[in-house]
Amino acid sequence: MQAFANTPKSNTNRLKQPAFNFITSSFNVEKRLSFFYGLLVAFCILLYANTLSNEYSIDDHLVTNHNKLVEKGIGGLYEIFTTNYISESGVYLDYRPLVKATFAIEYSLFGWNPHISHAINLLLYALGCCIILKVLLELFGRQHFTLIFTGLLLYAAHPVHTEVVASLKSRDELLVMIFIFLSALFFIKYGTTKNNKHALLGFIFFVLSLLSKITGIPFIVLIPVMMFIKTREVKTPVIVFGVLTLTTVAYYAALIGLLPGLARPYEYVETPLPYISDYSIKLGTAFYSLWYYIRLLIAPLQFSFYYGINYIQLQTLWSALPLLSVAIHIAVLGAAVYFFKRNIFISFLLFFYLVQISLAANIVLPLPGIVGERVLFTASLSFAVALAWLLNYLLNKQPEPVSTKKKEQSKTVTGAQTFNLSVSKAQVAALALILVFYSYQTIARNADWKDTITLFEADMPHLTPSAKANYMMAKEVRRLYRTDKNLTAQQLETQSAKAIHYYNQAIAAYPQYAIAIEELAMIHAVELNNNSVAIPLFERAYNADSTLWRSASNLGKAYQMSGDTAAAVKWYERSLQAKSDNPKALVELGKLYYLRGDKVKALATNDTLMKLNPESYLPYYNYAIYYMLEGDTAKAVNYFEEDIKRGEREKFPYAFLFRYYLQQRDTANAVRVRNLAGAKTGP
C-alpha cells in the first residue's frame, strides 16, 4: 500500500504493477511540495468559484447583511467582544466574537458586499485545507504523502461541506478549522522540539478557536493524541491535555460570569430530545442521527437547509437503524484499538472521527434540527483520507508504509530527499470518478445557496415532513412579498396563498406549532382582511402557547373592531399577562376602560404606559383625549403639545391645537402648529 515510498531508483522495476506518475518517477519533495499546495488551492477555487455570484442567504443576518452591530465596523469591535453572539428578546446565545469581528472589518473596508464575503470564505477554506495537509504531513511523515494528498482532494470536494463554505454565517466553522489545526501543528512541533515558542503559539491558536465557536473542543483530546503519535511520549501530551481542558473550563466559567447568559432554548420543532424523558427514544434518536451522518458521507446525494422533527423520525434504541448505528460505531472503536499497534495511520483516522462526531451525537448536547451537515465539516476528514487509503489498498499493490516504530515516528525529514510518487492507473481512475461526482454535486449545491428563497425552493420538495422547514419557507415567502413595494394585488394573492400552503404544511407536521398558527392568522387578518378565519386561528395559537402576546393582542383588536368590548378587554388583559410592556395593548385597553366608564383603570393604565415608554407620544395623546372629553381644555392642550413634541403623526392633535390657538387669538402658535402639521403629517 505504499503510495509514497523511500525506494531506490534501481529497485523500481521490481514493482509488480505499472505505476502512473504524477510528474516524474522521482522528484525532490522539498522543492515540489509547494506545487501540491498550489494544486489544492486551485482545486478549492474551482469547486467554489460559483459561490462568488451568490447573495446573502439563510441566517446571514446574524453576522452580516445589515447586522446593526457589525455595521458599526471597526468602531464596534469592543461591543462585539463584550456581548453575546445573539442577543434578542432576552435570549442570549453563545459567544463567537471573531466571526463578527471579521465581518465588521470587512464592512469597514468594502461596505455590504456579499461577493467579497463569499470570496473570503472560499480563500479561508483553501487555506484551511492547506493547513490540514501540513498537519498530517507533520504527523505521519511524507512516506504517507499520496494517501494524505489524495485524501485532502476528496475532503475538499466532498459536497457535505457546501453548507459551511457557501453560507456566510458559517464562517465561524472555517475559522475554527484554521485555528484548531494551527494549534495542533504547533503543539506537535512542541512535542518534538520542546520549544516553548511552539507551545505558546499552539495555546494562542486554541484560544482563537474558542473565540470562533465551540466546535474545536474535541481537539482537547485529539491534540494530545497527535503529540503521542508523533513522539510516543506520554508526559507532555498529558500536560497539554490538562492545560487545554483547564483553559476551556476557565474560558466558559468567565463567560458565564461576565455575559448575561449563554443558554440556548430549544423549540420542540428544532429538537424534541430535551422534552423527552424516555431514554430509549433519546438514545435511539441519537444513534439514528449518527447513522444519518454516515449515510451523508457515503452517499452525498440529497442535502437540506434544515432537518428537524418528522423529517428525522424519533427512534427507539431497539429499532433497526439505531442498532445498526451502535454496531458500526462499536466496530469503528474496536478497529481503532485493533490497528493501534498495527497501523497507527488507520487507527488515528477512526479515533479522530469518533471524537469529532461526538459533539453532534445528541447525547450530551442536543443539536438544533437533530442533524446538521455543518457538524461533518471536520469529522469528514477521516472519511476522506480513509477512502483514499482504501482505494490505495485495493488498487495499488505496493508495500504498505510502516510508521508505527518509535524511531521512525520521531524521525524528521531534512534536506533534499528523493521519493517515488506513484499510483496505479486503476487508482487514478477511481479517484477521478469520485472527484468528478463530488465536484458536480458540490458545484450544483453551491447554486442552490444563491439566496434564501432559492435554497428553500430547491429543498422543499423533499422536506414536506419537516415542520420547521415548512415554517421557514412560509415565513420567507411572506417576508418577500411584504417588503416588495411594487407588488400587485394579483401577486399578493398568489404569494399569500403560497405562504398559507407552507404554514398549513408546518401545522400538519406539528399541530401544536403555535407561532406558525399565529402567523397564518396574521395573513388572514392583515393581507386578506378576513377576521372570520383569523380569529379562531389566533385563539388556537394562544391556547397552544399562552406566551404569544401578539395573538392575544390581535384578538383584542379584532373584538374591539367588531364592537365586543368585553371580549376585547379580556384579550388585551391576557396579552399584558404575557408581555406587560406591550404598548399597543396598554393604549387600546386604556381607551376601552374609559369607554366603559372606568376612568380610574383608564388613567392607571395610561400611567403604566408612560412609565414604560416615557419618550413615546402615545400616553400624552391618551391623557389629552381624556381631559378633552372631561372638558378640561387647558390640560388637554398641554398634553397635546407634549404629544406633537414627541412626533405624533395623526392630524387630529394638530387640528385641535390650531383651532384652540385661533380661538385664543394666538396667531404665532397657530402658525407654528400648522407648520408642524405639514412637516409631520404631510399634505
Side-chain angles (χ1 to χ4, degrees):
M1 286 184 291
Q2 183 167 356
F4 191 71
N6 187 3
T7 307
K9 290 183 181 180
S10 59
N11 292 334
T12 54
N13 58 2
R14 293 188 301 173
L15 298 176
K16 297 180 180 179
Q17 186 172 343
F20 177 89
N21 299 317
F22 275 113
I23 302 174
T24 61
S25 60
S26 63
F27 66 94
N28 189 305
V29 174
E30 297 295 333
K31 293 181 180 179
R32 299 282 186 150
L33 196 54
S34 59
F35 167 81
F36 290 98
Y37 284 114
L39 183 62
L40 187 56
V41 170
F43 188 49
C44 290
I45 292 173
L46 176 67
L47 289 166
Y48 286 95
N50 65 328
T51 63
L52 300 182
S53 61
N54 287 358
E55 303 294 332
Y56 296 114
S57 191
I58 178 174
D59 287 340
D60 284 347
H61 67 280
L62 295 174
V63 290
T64 184
N65 192 14
H66 301 286
N67 180 283
K68 296 300 180 184
L69 182 53
V70 173
E71 205 163 35
K72 295 179 181 180
I74 293 174
L77 289 179
Y78 176 79
E79 190 176 352
I80 286 171
F81 277 89
T82 54
T83 56
N84 291 76
Y85 177 63
I86 299 175
S87 303
E88 295 177 358
S89 304
V91 176
Y92 303 97
L93 305 183
D94 217 333
Y95 181 69
R96 308 175 197 173
L98 275 187
V99 63
K100 280 189 174 179
T102 66
F103 282 109
I105 295 169
E106 184 185 322
Y107 175 78
S108 293
L109 296 173
F110 307 108
W112 293 122
N113 190 324
H115 313 302
I116 293 290
S117 298
H118 284 295
I120 292 171
N121 264 29
L122 192 164
L123 294 176
L124 289 174
Y125 183 57
L127 174 62
C129 288
C130 290
I131 292 170
I132 293 174
L133 175 58
K134 176 70 173 175
V135 170
L136 294 182
L137 289 177
E138 182 72 25
L139 182 60
F140 290 108
R142 290 166 181 170
Q143 68 269 25
H144 285 84
F145 178 81
T146 300
L147 298 181
I148 293 170
F149 183 73
T150 54
L152 258 294
L153 291 177
L154 292 168
Y155 173 80
H158 202 291
V160 81
H161 300 162
T162 52
E163 178 181 351
V164 170
V165 186
S167 167
L168 298 178
K169 174 259 176 191
S170 293
R171 185 177 291 179
D172 47 15
E173 298 284 3
L174 292 168
L175 293 174
V176 171
M177 172 197 197
I178 290 169
F179 292 135
I180 203 64
F181 276 99
L182 282 174
S183 178
L185 177 63
F186 283 106
F187 274 120
I188 291 169
K189 286 179 178 292
Y190 172 68
T192 56
T193 66
K194 297 299 184 292
N195 187 328
N196 290 333
K197 179 183 73 173
H198 291 148
L200 178 61
L201 287 170
F203 178 80
I204 290 171
F205 284 119
F206 181 79
V207 172
L208 289 174
S209 78
L210 291 177
L211 290 169
S212 301
K213 197 178 180 182
I214 194 175
T215 46
I217 284 182
F219 276 74
I220 292 173
V221 174
L222 292 172
I223 287 173
V225 169
M226 292 180 186
M227 295 175 69
F228 172 77
I229 290 173
K230 182 67 176 179
T231 65
R232 295 306 174 92
E233 178 192 355
V234 174
K235 182 179 177 181
T236 304
V238 168
I239 292 172
V240 169
F241 171 77
V243 169
L244 297 183
T245 301
L246 289 174
T247 300
T248 305
V249 171
Y251 174 81
Y252 280 100
L255 291 182
I256 292 170
L258 297 173
L259 296 175
L262 288 173
R264 193 344 177 155
Y266 295 97
E267 298 178 69
Y268 188 87
V269 291
E270 292 180 304
T271 173
L273 296 180
Y275 302 93
I276 294 173
S277 56
D278 188 331
Y279 277 91
S280 174
I281 294 177
K282 280 179 175 284
L283 290 174
T285 305
F287 275 101
Y288 176 76
S289 69
L290 291 175
W291 154 252
Y292 203 95
Y293 290 130
I294 294 173
R295 172 181 157 187
L296 284 174
L297 289 173
I298 295 174
L301 297 170
Q302 181 173 281
F303 300 106
S304 303
F305 67 86
Y306 200 87
Y307 291 84
I309 61 167
N310 284 17
Y311 189 81
I312 301 296
Q313 296 286 344
L314 296 179
Q315 310 270 337
T316 66
L317 184 58
W318 312 113
S319 301
L321 289 177
L323 284 176
L324 175 62
S325 179
V326 171
I328 290 172
H329 286 85
I330 290 175
V332 170
L333 178 60
V337 174
Y338 174 80
F339 282 111
F340 181 72
K341 290 187 177 181
R342 295 167 176 81
N343 189 328
I344 196 67
F345 186 79
I346 290 300
S347 178
F348 173 75
L349 293 177
L350 298 175
F351 183 73
F352 184 97
Y353 179 80
L354 292 175
V355 173
Q356 190 62 39
I357 202 66
S358 65
L359 202 63
N362 284 294
I363 295 174
V364 178
L365 292 174
L367 185 78
I370 307 176
V371 165
E373 293 154 26
R374 63 194 176 279
V375 304
L376 283 171
F377 185 59
T378 304
S380 58
L381 176 64
S382 293
F383 173 81
V385 180
L387 178 58
W389 177 89
L390 182 64
L391 292 175
N392 187 75
Y393 178 80
L394 295 174
L395 303 174
N396 193 355
K397 304 302 182 181
Q398 297 190 55
E400 179 183 0
V402 178
S403 58
T404 58
K405 295 178 182 179
K406 181 175 180 180
K407 185 168 72 173
E408 189 171 331
Q409 287 298 309
S410 60
K411 180 180 178 181
T412 302
V413 178
T414 58
Q417 195 166 4
T418 302
F419 294 91
N420 183 54
L421 176 62
S422 60
V423 291
S424 70
K425 293 179 180 179
Q427 189 178 354
V428 170
L431 282 167
L433 188 64
I434 296 171
L435 287 174
V436 168
F437 169 68
Y438 280 1
S439 300
Y440 173 81
Q441 292 289 95
T442 294
I443 293 169
R445 185 59 176 169
N446 290 340
D448 292 342
W449 279 90
K450 176 178 173 54
D451 54 34
T452 303
I453 194 64
T454 303
L455 177 65
F456 286 4
E457 287 177 340
D459 291 359
M460 284 314 301
H462 66 265
L463 283 176
T464 300
S466 173
K468 181 76 171 180
N470 277 283
Y471 168 75
M472 293 167 73
M473 177 65 173
K475 193 175 182 71
E476 179 65 9
V477 170
R478 187 168 185 246
R479 184 192 70 80
L480 288 174
Y481 72 68
R482 283 171 63 84
T483 55
D484 186 349
K485 296 179 180 179
N486 300 315
L487 195 72
T488 65
Q490 184 177 0
Q491 289 172 326
L492 173 61
E493 182 179 352
T494 301
Q495 293 303 307
S496 60
K498 185 177 180 181
I500 288 170
H501 167 73
Y502 286 110
Y503 276 124
N504 281 326
Q505 285 198 164
I507 296 163
Y510 180 51
Q512 294 301 107
Y513 206 162
I515 189 66
I517 300 169
E518 179 183 72
E519 292 179 17
L520 177 60
M522 288 295 296
I523 293 180
H524 288 288
V526 178
E527 283 92 297
L528 303 180
N529 196 26
N530 189 343
N531 275 334
S532 63
V533 175
I535 286 174
L537 285 171
F538 279 129
E539 289 182 341
R540 181 180 170 189
Y542 183 82
N543 290 333
D545 183 356
S546 61
T547 67
L548 293 181
W549 58 272
R550 287 188 182 87
S551 285
S553 188
N554 282 312
L555 284 166
K557 186 68 174 178
Y559 283 115
Q560 184 181 7
M561 293 174 66
S562 68
D564 190 341
T565 304
V569 167
K570 178 186 75 173
W571 284 106
Y572 280 132
E573 288 176 342
R574 288 185 177 181
S575 179
L576 290 171
Q577 288 172 4
K579 183 177 174 59
S580 61
D581 61 346
N582 178 3
K584 290 184 178 180
L586 286 165
V587 169
E588 300 304 328
L589 194 56
K591 292 177 183 177
L592 292 173
Y593 284 146
Y594 188 86
L595 292 173
R596 295 175 70 183
D598 195 338
K599 297 177 183 177
V600 174
K601 274 191 173 182
L603 291 172
T605 302
N606 209 53
D607 288 342
T608 301
L609 179 62
M610 181 172 283
K611 289 177 183 177
L612 293 171
N613 303 274
E615 299 304 316
S616 172
Y617 64 85
L618 291 171
Y620 296 96
Y621 177 87
N622 286 348
Y623 281 129
I625 295 294
Y626 297 154
Y627 287 115
M628 183 187 74
L629 295 174
E630 291 295 311
D632 193 336
T633 305
K635 284 188 176 180
V637 168
N638 289 336
Y639 279 110
F640 273 135
E641 283 285 3
E642 291 295 327
D643 175 38
I644 65 174
K645 187 188 296 182
R646 285 165 172 75
E648 174 66 76
R649 300 185 68 85
E650 294 293 328
K651 293 183 178 181
F652 176 74
Y654 297 95
F656 177 89
L657 289 171
F658 180 73
R659 289 194 300 270
Y660 172 78
Y661 287 127
L662 284 180
Q663 291 171 0
Q664 300 298 311
R665 300 177 184 274
D666 187 347
T667 307
N669 274 323
V671 171
R672 174 181 61 84
V673 170
R674 184 184 62 188
N675 291 339
L676 277 174
K680 296 289 186 182
T681 65

